[in-house]
Amino acid sequence: MPNPSQNALELSMFSCLSDNYGYLIHDPVSGETVAIDTPDANTILKEAEKRDWRLTQIWNTHWHPDHAGGNEAIKTATGCHISGPQEVASKLEAPVDNVLSGGEVFKLGSHDVHVLATPGHTLGHIVYHIPDQNIAFVGDTLFALGCGRMFEGQPDIFWKSLQKLRDMPDDTKIYCAHEYTQANLAFALSVDPDNPDLQAYGETINDKRGRGEPTIPATLGTEKRANPFLRADITDMQSRMTGGMDAVATFAELRKRKDNF
Ligand code: ZN
Ligand code: FE
């Protein structure tokens, strides 16, 4: 059995479009390189070239153009193999070779990749979790101190998706698709003003942004203590948001207030 620490995936994170992050992961053992989503084909292809990585795969999280809009150009340029939800083909008419719907486990070199269905932002949204590297690519389902807009789902299914992500180990590094953290922080403080973990996390976030640094990856354990959308089943949050209704109603109220914040 290879020692995972001697067989680490290499990761490149870079800005795309106005506030998306592009990600490439490279397995030096198998030579595979994966683009997580395709916000901007040119930027992604240039990054792969700069690193001298041959791009062999795309993994899409959902169908939105800032996530799958570069599929066609990257496939044409590299001949890579694309995995993603059916909605990438049906809604965006972008190429997908291997349709995933959640529950699958596949390999990247020697690493297991777990696919989680996380409907809510879109109905086909999926997340890629690589347990031996403690990393998860969560697209627009979960953000640092936030979650995606509920474009297609309903509160009950979105809440279930967030609970599924919350069940990953606390030291999981959360790679989300946008730098929305400072705006999310302002909202989080408005609904959970007395949370000391949130206040401390907020200082770290403001320091990083002040230096022009990304706030990503977030760590799941910190998110569980500070992200209001992961705390809809906490009694205090429920009483503040809904006068004591259940987690689904509390999540729905949080999502509604964030939409209007
Ligand atoms: Zn999206
Ligand atoms: Fe997005």
Side-chain angles (χ1 to χ4, degrees):
M1 253 249 332
N3 178 344
S5 65
Q6 294 174 335
N7 184 19
L9 296 173
E10 295 168 30
L11 189 144
S12 166
M13 168 175 163
F14 45 96
S15 295
C16 282
L17 308 176
S18 60
D19 54 30
N20 280 73
Y21 284 122
Y23 298 108
L24 290 174
I25 50 177
H26 176 70
D27 177 20
V29 177
S30 64
E32 297 266 0
T33 299
V34 185
I36 314 297
D37 283 333
T38 58
D40 180 341
N42 279 335
T43 307
I44 291 165
L45 289 168
K46 265 189 212 143
E47 181 68 19
E49 198 185 299
K50 191 177 96 189
R51 303 239 172 196
D52 214 8
W53 293 347
R54 194 173 65 87
L55 209 161
T56 55
Q57 297 189 46
I58 292 168
W59 300 348
N60 289 130
T61 61
H62 65 295
W63 71 269
H64 286 158
D66 63 316
H67 297 262
N71 279 20
E72 189 150 10
I74 293 175
K75 191 172 176 67
T76 301
T78 64
C80 69
H81 182 265
I82 305 178
S83 297
Q86 179 61 43
E87 63 180 21
V88 169
S90 59
K91 291 192 165 146
L92 191 64
E93 295 179 24
V96 181
D97 303 304
N98 175 36
V99 169
L100 299 170
S101 56
E104 298 90 348
V105 181
F106 65 88
K107 291 272 187 192
L108 177 66
S110 64
H111 305 276
D112 279 341
V113 182
H114 293 241
V115 183
L116 310 178
T118 59
H121 176 70
T122 67
L123 287 176
H125 198 299
I126 54 177
V127 160
Y128 298 89
H129 179 209
I130 310 178
D132 74 13
Q133 303 290 296
N134 288 324
I135 59 179
F137 296 94
V138 300
D140 287 354
T141 296
L142 179 64
F143 294 122
L145 291 180
C147 73
R149 270 183 192 262
M150 195 164 57
F151 285 121
E152 296 177 10
Q154 295 298 320
D156 56 340
I157 67 162
F158 207 148
W159 171 241
K160 213 181 265 172
S161 298
L162 291 175
Q163 286 176 284
K164 203 182 279 183
L165 296 182
R166 205 175 58 173
D167 285 342
M168 295 186 296
D170 277 5
D171 60 354
T172 306
K173 290 191 215 96
I174 303 296
Y175 288 94
C176 47
H178 293 271
E179 181 64 59
Y180 289 158
T181 313
Q182 246 177 344
N184 289 340
L185 170 63
F187 174 73
L189 286 168
S190 80
V191 291
D192 201 7
D194 302 322
N195 179 341
D197 291 306
L198 173 59
Q199 291 163 357
Y201 187 18
E203 282 178 31
T204 310
I205 287 163
N206 288 331
D207 285 349
K208 282 188 178 160
R209 294 311 288 156
R211 295 193 297 266
E213 292 170 12
T215 61
I216 310 305
T219 305
L220 185 62
T222 308
E223 290 299 315
K224 281 162 68 172
R225 293 191 301 272
N227 185 330
F229 295 97
L230 296 180
R231 297 171 64 76
D233 53 353
I234 304 280
T235 312
D236 278 358
M237 184 67 83
Q238 294 177 341
S239 39
R240 274 195 305 278
M241 290 304 109
T242 62
M245 288 164 73
D246 67 8
V248 171
T250 301
F251 171 76
E253 178 64 20
L254 281 163
R255 193 52 265 173
K256 196 175 92 190
R257 289 195 194 190
K258 177 66 169 68
D259 290 344
N260 299 313
F261 186 69

